[in-house]
Amino acid sequence: MVEGPINRLKIDNSLTLASFDSLLAILGPDRESAAMAYIDLRLALFTYFAARGAACPDEMADETINRGARRLSEGAQVTTENPSSYFYGIAYYVLRESLNSSNVLIPLSDDDPGPSTQTTPYDLIINDDERIESEVRYECLEKCLNQLDPEERELIVSYYRFAGAEKIENRKKLAARYDLSSNALRQKVARLRGRLAECVNDCRRSRAKPDLK
Amino acid sequence: MSDETSRTSAIRNYLLGDLPESESEEIERWYFGAGRGVDEVWAVFGEIAEEYLSGDLSESESRRFEQKLRSSPALREMFENEKALHDYAARNTSGAPREVKTDNSTAGGRWKWPPPAAFFKPTRLMAAVIIAMISLGALVTWFGLRTREGVNPATLAQLPNVPPQNTAKDQKSPESATQPSVDPQRPHQSRHNANDKLATFLLLAAGTRGGQSDPPTLEIPARTDIVQLELELPNDNCAEFSAVLRTESNEELQRWGNLRARRDPSTLSMASLRVRADSLKNTGYVIRLDCVSPHKNLGASGEYRFKTEKK
């Protein structure tokens, strides 16, 4: 099965037990709810770094959480009602530091002729690589879909069926079947998709590692 | 406009990189604070990706979205996952319980190369190789005959004595006409009912482009359910296309997103799309093909004009 929240906690070595406890203490009244809040926080951080074009949003999310947890264990006080806002402030500086210390990805302007508009032998190689990549991704997706609960799997696959007016009609029926509003349905699917993406990315990484046997 | 609608619109602009910094920070503060805020952001991202894949995103939004994907490796990853999910759902529609009774097997029309690894099981692979060899032989024979007859529309421009309309009626590939498709290169076209009668036509780039005075006429045999159009691509510069089918009077009939270019055994670069025969009338049509590949190249788009004549 796709991992539960507690198992998905990734604790950096630099995070001491004290700072980890401080982190859990502000995230929830008990370990289970704190773990759920941790996942929500990490997802918000990932979203922030991804939308801002960071190359490694996962690592930066971890770095942000570690910094925040360390400060908490050193006596920092969270003054906002929602602890996530405290981490948003830290994330801002983590992003700025990364932009200052590395080469930034600069989007090409629309009229930049740029190398990507030319067909080169390198592009052909990339296309072959992309084909292999997409095959691996598809296999991983199938594997990850099979790890979902049957009802969740049926929901997400059904959600993507059809096109145009039939797609809209299908989604209305799905919302009715699962007793959700249209908005709640799309958010539920978005969350499922996020879990799938995490599983697919883990699967692809494990495939990419050389066989050490 | 409701708060929810304006927020969705702001998230959309945020993801397309169109929001000023202060408004971006406002959105970020919101999704860090709101319980389901992040889910809403990814829901909107999914919708943008869907619109992009189906060709429904405006040209300027498509450009901004591509730019965003180029500048954000993580978003690109999420987009690739989104594409894979679409593909999976499309391939698994025929065998799964259907939510809507009407047959939408032609809608969307997206398929993806390469097929999943499951396709490469030894028995299937052997069958595919045999079918591919038969298809190759038939195609080579057909092209040989066509060349000898001098009716390849692609060469018409150099043959002023041959009136284009004499050649246009024959753009049907004889070996596949009115037969269910068994082309091993397109496994998930099995979304169509196996009993559907299929008529396949090849539209060559040079003979069918806009500007020709007489577009080719595709003779659709009686009782055909599905018309499959194999479009010869103008060049090899693009891997992925969207397409729109319109009547000559500019009425839109169907759209496709995520059409993958493939190289046919005949060495033609082609993209394939399907239309329900009952949606076609005896009139003229235009297919607009646009490159949507992130590695977009110039000169990889074009128009294909043709007429249909139902028998």
Side-chain angles (χ1 to χ4, degrees), chain B:
Chain B
M1 202 189 300
S2 71
D3 282 355
E4 208 168 275
T5 311
S6 67
R7 181 170 293 128
T8 302
S9 165
I11 293 171
R12 195 178 172 90
N13 288 331
Y14 170 70
L15 290 170
L16 292 171
D18 288 345
L19 273 192
E21 184 58 25
S22 62
E23 289 178 44
S24 292
E25 287 176 10
E26 200 176 306
I27 290 287
E28 285 159 356
R29 273 193 292 273
W30 169 76
Y31 70 69
F32 268 85
R36 289 279 175 236
V38 176
D39 293 342
E40 179 62 22
V41 173
W42 288 112
V44 173
F45 179 82
E47 282 154 11
I48 299 173
E50 276 192 306
E51 287 172 37
Y52 179 80
L53 289 170
S54 61
D56 291 338
L57 215 54
S58 72
E59 200 176 321
S60 110
E61 281 189 323
S62 290
R63 210 167 41 237
R64 271 144 41 209
F65 187 54
E66 286 167 6
Q67 206 172 60
K68 191 75 183 174
L69 296 183
R70 273 200 296 270
S71 66
S72 174
L75 291 186
R76 173 74 198 225
E77 278 295 302
M78 296 300 281
F79 174 70
E80 292 296 337
N81 288 337
E82 187 82 17
K83 275 208 306 190
L85 255 174
H86 273 267
D87 202 36
Y88 181 90
R91 289 181 196 187
N92 289 279
T93 293
S94 55
R98 299 181 62 127
E99 293 301 312
V100 178
K101 298 292 179 199
T102 46
D103 178 13
N104 186 41
S105 49
T106 57
R110 56 176 71 92
W111 55 274
K112 193 168 179 176
W113 177 260
F119 179 69
F120 291 104
K121 285 177 181 166
T123 46
R124 291 187 196 178
L125 190 60
M126 194 173 286
V129 167
I130 292 166
I131 294 168
M133 286 174 73
I134 293 167
S135 303
L136 178 63
L139 265 169
V140 167
T141 309
W142 179 59
F143 273 99
L145 287 170
R146 307 274 297 173
T147 308
R148 278 198 294 281
E149 290 164 4
V151 293
N152 185 344
T155 62
L156 283 179
Q158 295 150 19
L159 297 169
N161 293 333
V162 182
Q165 60 270 37
N166 290 349
T167 66
K169 286 198 171 193
D170 241 332
Q171 291 212 14
K172 183 167 60 181
S173 96
E175 74 280 1
S176 57
T178 72
Q179 295 298 319
S181 173
V182 287
D183 186 343
Q185 295 186 348
R186 279 164 276 155
H188 70 274
Q189 288 184 349
S190 61
R191 282 183 292 139
H192 293 277
N193 188 325
N195 296 322
D196 281 349
K197 279 184 78 175
L198 184 79
T200 303
F201 298 89
L202 177 67
L203 293 175
L204 297 179
T208 53
R209 290 303 186 81
Q212 295 280 321
S213 54
D214 290 298
T217 300
L218 313 182
E219 291 181 359
I220 301 171
R223 293 185 297 281
T224 297
D225 298 301
I226 304 292
V227 173
Q228 177 164 312
L229 300 169
E230 302 279 4
L231 308 180
E232 183 202 10
L233 300 175
N235 54 45
D236 290 334
N237 292 352
C238 183
E240 207 167 316
F241 295 85
S242 69
V244 185
L245 171 66
R246 288 193 172 90
T247 61
E248 275 181 331
S249 55
N250 211 27
E251 181 196 349
E252 185 177 317
L253 287 188
Q254 198 169 328
R255 275 177 178 266
W256 297 262
N258 201 26
L259 295 172
R260 279 281 188 176
R262 74 173 200 284
R263 189 167 281 285
D264 197 79
S266 66
T267 76
L268 288 175
S269 276
M270 312 233 274
S272 175
L273 45 85
R274 289 181 170 194
V275 187
R276 289 205 70 84
D278 54 17
S279 68
L280 296 171
K281 298 180 173 60
N282 289 344
T283 184
Y285 293 94
V286 184
I287 293 175
R288 171 78 196 171
L289 199 64
D290 283 306
C291 180
V292 295
S293 172
H295 304 289
K296 191 182 277 190
N297 285 286
L298 297 173
S301 300
E303 282 189 349
Y304 296 75
R305 290 177 186 274
F306 61 94
K307 289 178 180 171
T308 52
E309 195 175 304
K310 289 185 162 180
K311 294 294 175 188

Side-chain angles (χ1 to χ4, degrees), chain A residues 108 139 166 170-171 177 204, chain B residues 67 77 99 102 104 117:
Chain A
L108 296 171
E139 285 174 27
E166 283 181 304
N170 181 51
R171 289 180 183 180
R177 193 212 284 179
R204 287 174 60 232
Chain B
Q67 206 172 60
E77 278 295 302
E99 293 301 312
T102 46
N104 186 41

Side-chain angles (χ1 to χ4, degrees), chain A residues 179-190, chain B residues 40:
Chain A
D179 198 20
L180 296 168
S181 68
S182 297
N183 205 35
L185 175 72
R186 57 198 273 284
Q187 289 183 1
K188 187 180 172 75
V189 169
Chain B
E40 179 62 22

Side-chain angles (χ1 to χ4, degrees), chain A residues 22-30 33-35 37-39 41 65 83-84 87:
Chain A
S22 307
L23 174 67
L24 290 186
I26 66 151
L27 288 179
D30 55 71
S33 62
Y38 174 93
I39 286 166
L41 169 63
I65 289 172
S84 294
F87 285 92

